[in-house]
Amino acid sequence: MVATDDTAQEEAQAREREAIFAACDHCVGGHGRVRPHAELAALAQATAANEEPDRYGTGALIEEFEREVATLLGKEAALFLPSGTMAQQIALRIWSERRGCRTVAFHPTCHLEMHEQKSYQLLHGLHGRLVGDPHALLTLKDLVDLAEPVAALLLELPQREIGGQLPAWDDLRLQVAWAHQRGAAVHMDGARLWEAGPFYGRSYAEIAAPFDSVYVSFYKGIGAIAGAALAGPADVMAEARVWQRRHGGTLVCLFPFVLSARLNLRRRLERFPAYHQRALSIARTLAAVPGIAVTPDPPQTRMMHVYLHGERALLEAAALDIARAERVALFHHLRPTDMPGWSMFELSIGDAAAALTDAQIGAYFSSLPLTR
Amino acid sequence: MVATDDTAQEEAQAREREAIFAACDHCVGGHGRVRPHAELAALAQATAANEEPDRYGTGALIEEFEREVATLLGKEAALFLPSGTMAQQIALRIWSERRGCRTVAFHPTCHLEMHEQKSYQLLHGLHGRLVGDPHALLTLKDLVDLAEPVAALLLELPQREIGGQLPAWDDLRLQVAWAHQRGAAVHMDGARLWEAGPFYGRSYAEIAAPFDSVYVSFYKGIGAIAGAALAGPADVMAEARVWQRRHGGTLVCLFPFVLSARLNLRRRLERFPAYHQRALSIARTLAAVPGIAVTPDPPQTRMMHVYLHGERALLEAAALDIARAERVALFHHLRPTDMPGWSMFELSIGDAAAALTDAQIGAYFSSLPLTR
């Protein structure tokens, strides 16, 4: 594969863009820059000298962390896995085998449908039954209209692709009850579950209680290097361990991920209400700028989608200029939208925003070449 | 799952055994004790402060290391993966799709057959055609007798389950040529390929040249925390990236594994001839003890199988006593064999043996309650 002059030039520009954003001192979203050297040094410092490594999923380090996560989610057992992609396919395969049914139901924007190259079908032979409108929360009516049997229903809390929206607690309970009445298991895609705590005002165990299995991520929001967990009944988790081996996810050692997950979960979980409060004030600031819209408004979690009115290439160039001159990253890229003249980016508020005031953020965004 | 008194007692004993071996100062096999704190601190120290993390398989760190591995193996491209289980299933699936044939051939002791819970079948729908005697190297005759078409032939270099045996170079060439003449791809399970260099007296690129795809491990022999690579033609590696995502192996960050693989590959690869030389002298020492046999004799790599004549429980108890009293680990467990009165363990010589003389090792083994 020989790069042409054009693609070589594009690649060089992309690398230059990346380097400019990597050199920023401040970001509106996220937890700030991660560098391997500092990350590994901090991890070493937080680890006792006599802590033993895990070995193929066994050992006190990983087993105790799994128990910690199971307790947090109010489930009998939990399993640490390298990725959520692995965790969710495994959960759905198990429910499918147990129900003797290959059909699993999820929203059209489900991670399994959008980001996993149809692995649920190509590796697991599952059939995905899409339910609900791609631009809206799933409703009970969507489920009632689903005329065929399903082994499992996957619900994502919050729904990332629509800006982190969450169903009302009573709606959620009714949807889960509908599935259980029809004999389907209910699995939670809780990639961003930690962000849902403030909205529901309930413990994570209470939010997870209606679900048969729950996947959570340790790098999204929590900011660990990588890693995920699946939680649920002990017999299901024992079965999931066999599938983890089949997936190639039972690594000889996962301790860098386990240690990073443990460290960051313990220090960041309590900050999510503050992230949500800050997301609310940043959303108010941005929505007050002519040519900017925020969804959901107000944000229900620390996440929001920010819509900008104007020419996409000009807006991206202006953000790159700010990154270069001020070393402040507003956004890297904008995504096109169905709405003519509008493009958007996903914004998740974390530790990094603390270094910027709402007024500063408002001023940066106001300086963009927006169509007002 | 409530533990009974018996299983609780067994678990406590197993933990005590593990603790005794973990506290040993010296081991005959391996590279010595790994502790997360020291491992992460050393890794941080070996990493430049401005090294950027990988992101979903992209970035200079992982891409440059992939090029380094591709060059070492003389292949067009390489792909870093979390595990060999993932790497090999992916390679065989790709060759299967390209040949329009679901059957893949491998030795009965192949890792895919023994240690992956039939994932090649349950995730990938492949049919495994076993070829050869479980206790011997694959032969050309085994292949010639194989009467059905196969998409790919997997050859393991060296064959771990028979003590790390390697076919003669000419035999290897003839087996590969047989497969290619029949239109099958040839994939190398090179989990321990690094150990095969001294035997063939050829570069790794020369050994890999006849193969269409090659998997190598970075934790076996090399001693990295975890990680593997698949190498081959650029278009096959591009396709493998899609399957890596499907497997859940495209992690947001793999830098702890990549950095550890890079560091340990660079420092340990040149030591394999010395490991082999030491394995030869340790094998001579052990084989001279009445009641001990070594296979292969002499070892062809740094690995050997050590057979002990005597009562298994007594031999294990004696090894535990030595570990407790002398803080020297000879072996943790013995495996039963088909031969009455004999049990065995796998021994791979690495950095750790340097702290012990052959005479010391011989004396420890001579002190065991062997049937002479």
Side-chain angles (χ1 to χ4, degrees):
Chain A
M1 294 195 292
V2 177
T4 66
D5 285 356
D6 274 5
T7 62
Q9 198 183 337
E10 269 172 38
E11 276 174 27
Q13 283 174 349
R15 273 197 302 274
E16 194 201 333
R17 281 182 63 88
E18 272 170 43
I20 289 167
F21 281 111
C24 280
D25 298 319
H26 301 298
C27 301
V28 180
H31 294 312
R33 186 164 59 189
V34 170
R35 286 266 173 81
H37 171 81
E39 200 77 8
L40 294 167
L43 211 51
Q45 205 178 3
T47 304
N50 65 349
E51 181 98 72
E52 295 286 345
D54 56 307
R55 191 164 170 80
Y56 295 115
T58 66
L61 170 62
I62 195 164
E63 290 169 16
E64 283 169 16
F65 185 63
E66 286 173 344
R67 277 194 288 276
E68 182 176 332
V69 173
T71 302
L72 184 60
L73 296 172
K75 298 296 181 197
E76 211 176 356
L79 175 60
F80 191 92
L81 294 128
S83 73
T85 295
M86 207 179 279
Q88 300 209 101
Q89 289 177 35
I90 288 172
L92 294 185
R93 175 71 177 256
I94 290 172
W95 296 128
S96 163
E97 299 277 352
R98 291 188 173 207
R99 300 295 193 276
C101 168
R102 295 192 161 202
T103 308
V104 291
F106 39 69
H107 192 263
T109 64
C110 176
H111 196 273
L112 283 95
E113 189 64 22
M114 292 186 69
H115 301 297
E116 302 177 15
Q117 301 280 0
K118 292 280 169 108
S119 185
Y120 66 83
Q121 184 183 328
L122 283 156
L123 281 185
H124 288 285
L126 300 177
H127 309 308
R129 175 65 158 86
L130 305 185
V131 278
D133 185 299
H135 301 288
L137 281 168
L138 201 68
T139 67
L140 185 62
K141 181 167 185 316
D142 295 328
L143 295 177
V144 170
D145 289 349
L146 201 168
E148 49 186 342
V150 296
L153 168 67
L154 180 150
L155 298 175
E156 185 191 0
L157 294 186
Q159 275 194 239
R160 184 233 181 140
E161 300 289 346
I162 54 171
Q165 292 182 54
L166 285 160
W169 182 249
D170 289 343
D171 290 346
L172 179 63
R173 294 303 302 264
L174 287 171
Q175 291 175 21
V176 171
W178 174 89
H180 283 157
Q181 276 162 20
R182 270 143 199 83
V186 186
H187 168 77
M188 187 207 295
D189 177 344
R192 293 167 183 77
L193 170 64
W194 315 119
E195 316 189 6
F199 178 80
Y200 289 122
R202 292 167 190 273
S203 73
Y204 294 110
E206 283 176 279
I207 300 171
F211 293 85
D212 299 289
S213 56
V214 178
Y215 142 64
V216 290
S217 169
F218 299 115
Y219 81 87
K220 302 181 191 86
I222 298 296
I225 297 172
L230 186 64
D235 61 323
V236 175
M237 292 306 103
E239 203 171 329
R241 281 181 199 278
V242 183
W243 284 107
Q244 179 178 12
R245 182 169 291 273
R246 290 196 180 113
H247 262 265
T250 308
L251 307 193
V252 58
C253 284
L254 279 166
F255 66 76
F257 299 159
V258 177
L259 288 166
S260 180
R262 188 177 73 178
L263 178 68
N264 286 293
L265 185 69
R266 288 177 184 173
R267 73 177 181 172
R268 285 215 175 95
L269 197 54
E270 65 186 26
R271 299 183 195 163
F272 279 83
Y275 296 153
H276 181 225
Q277 288 305 312
R278 188 67 203 279
L280 289 172
S281 75
I282 290 174
R284 279 192 301 270
T285 302
L286 293 178
V289 178
I292 298 186
V294 163
T295 189
D297 190 8
Q300 295 172 340
T301 68
R302 72 182 194 109
M303 170 193 275
M304 67 195 90
H305 281 181
V306 181
Y307 285 79
L308 303 181
H309 194 197
E311 203 174 319
R312 184 151 66 106
L314 293 181
L315 291 165
E316 284 181 342
L320 187 63
D321 285 343
I322 291 170
R324 192 188 286 111
E326 311 276 336
R327 300 167 79 95
V328 173
L330 305 185
F331 51 83
H332 291 213
H333 287 286
L334 294 174
R335 280 192 262 161
T337 74
D338 295 343
M339 218 171 2
W342 290 80
S343 49
M344 60 79 69
F345 68 99
E346 179 184 288
L347 179 61
S348 293
I349 301 306
D351 292 343
L356 299 165
T357 64
D358 285 357
Q360 284 175 308
I361 293 169
Y364 285 125
F365 276 92
S366 296
S367 77
L368 296 174
L370 294 156
T371 305
R372 287 152 215 271
Chain B
M1 293 193 294
V2 178
T4 65
D5 284 356
D6 274 4
T7 64
Q9 198 184 337
E10 271 172 37
E11 277 173 26
Q13 282 174 349
R15 272 197 303 275
E16 193 200 334
R17 280 182 65 88
E18 274 169 41
I20 289 167
F21 281 111
C24 281
D25 297 321
H26 302 300
C27 301
V28 180
H31 294 312
R33 188 164 58 190
V34 169
R35 285 267 173 81
H37 170 81
E39 199 77 10
L40 294 168
L43 210 52
Q45 204 179 4
T47 305
N50 65 350
E51 182 99 71
E52 294 286 344
D54 56 309
R55 193 167 168 80
Y56 296 115
T58 67
L61 169 63
I62 194 164
E63 290 169 16
E64 283 168 18
F65 185 63
E66 286 173 344
R67 278 195 289 276
E68 183 176 331
V69 173
T71 302
L72 183 61
L73 296 172
K75 297 297 181 195
E76 211 176 355
L79 175 59
F80 190 94
L81 294 127
S83 73
T85 295
M86 207 179 278
Q88 300 210 102
Q89 289 178 35
I90 288 173
L92 294 185
R93 176 70 177 256
I94 290 172
W95 296 127
S96 164
E97 299 275 353
R98 289 186 174 209
R99 300 295 193 277
C101 169
R102 294 191 162 202
T103 308
V104 290
F106 39 68
H107 192 263
T109 64
C110 175
H111 196 273
L112 282 94
E113 189 64 22
M114 292 188 68
H115 301 297
E116 302 178 13
Q117 300 282 359
K118 294 280 169 105
S119 186
Y120 67 82
Q121 184 183 328
L122 284 156
L123 281 185
H124 287 285
L126 300 176
H127 309 307
R129 176 63 158 87
L130 306 185
V131 277
D133 184 299
H135 300 287
L137 280 169
L138 202 67
T139 67
L140 185 61
K141 181 167 186 313
D142 295 329
L143 295 176
V144 170
D145 289 348
L146 200 168
E148 48 186 343
V150 297
L153 169 65
L154 179 149
L155 297 176
E156 185 190 1
L157 293 187
Q159 275 192 237
R160 183 231 182 144
E161 300 289 347
I162 54 172
Q165 291 183 55
L166 284 160
W169 182 249
D170 289 343
D171 290 346
L172 180 63
R173 294 302 302 265
L174 288 171
Q175 291 175 20
V176 171
W178 174 90
H180 282 157
Q181 276 162 19
R182 270 142 199 85
V186 186
H187 169 77
M188 188 208 293
D189 176 344
R192 292 166 184 78
L193 170 64
W194 315 119
E195 316 188 7
F199 177 81
Y200 288 122
R202 294 168 188 272
S203 73
Y204 294 109
E206 284 176 278
I207 300 170
F211 292 85
D212 300 288
S213 54
V214 178
Y215 141 64
V216 290
S217 170
F218 299 115
Y219 82 87
K220 301 180 192 87
I222 297 297
I225 297 172
L230 186 65
D235 61 324
V236 174
M237 291 307 103
E239 202 170 329
R241 281 180 200 279
V242 183
W243 285 108
Q244 180 178 11
R245 182 169 290 275
R246 289 196 181 114
H247 263 265
T250 308
L251 306 194
V252 58
C253 284
L254 279 166
F255 66 77
F257 299 159
V258 178
L259 289 166
S260 180
R262 188 176 73 179
L263 177 69
N264 287 293
L265 185 70
R266 289 177 183 173
R267 73 175 180 172
R268 286 216 176 94
L269 198 54
E270 64 186 25
R271 298 183 196 165
F272 280 83
Y275 296 153
H276 181 224
Q277 288 307 311
R278 188 67 203 280
L280 288 172
S281 74
I282 289 173
R284 277 191 302 271
T285 302
L286 293 179
V289 177
I292 298 186
V294 163
T295 188
D297 189 9
Q300 296 173 341
T301 68
R302 72 179 194 110
M303 171 194 275
M304 68 194 87
H305 281 182
V306 182
Y307 286 79
L308 304 182
H309 194 197
E311 204 175 317
R312 184 152 66 106
L314 293 181
L315 291 164
E316 286 182 341
L320 188 63
D321 284 344
I322 291 170
R324 193 188 285 112
E326 311 275 338
R327 299 167 79 97
V328 174
L330 306 185
F331 51 83
H332 291 214
H333 287 285
L334 293 174
R335 281 192 261 161
T337 75
D338 294 344
M339 217 170 0
W342 289 79
S343 50
M344 59 79 70
F345 68 98
E346 178 183 289
L347 178 62
S348 292
I349 302 304
D351 293 343
L356 298 164
T357 65
D358 286 357
Q360 285 176 307
I361 293 170
Y364 284 125
F365 276 91
S366 296
S367 78
L368 295 175
L370 293 157
T371 305
R372 287 153 214 269

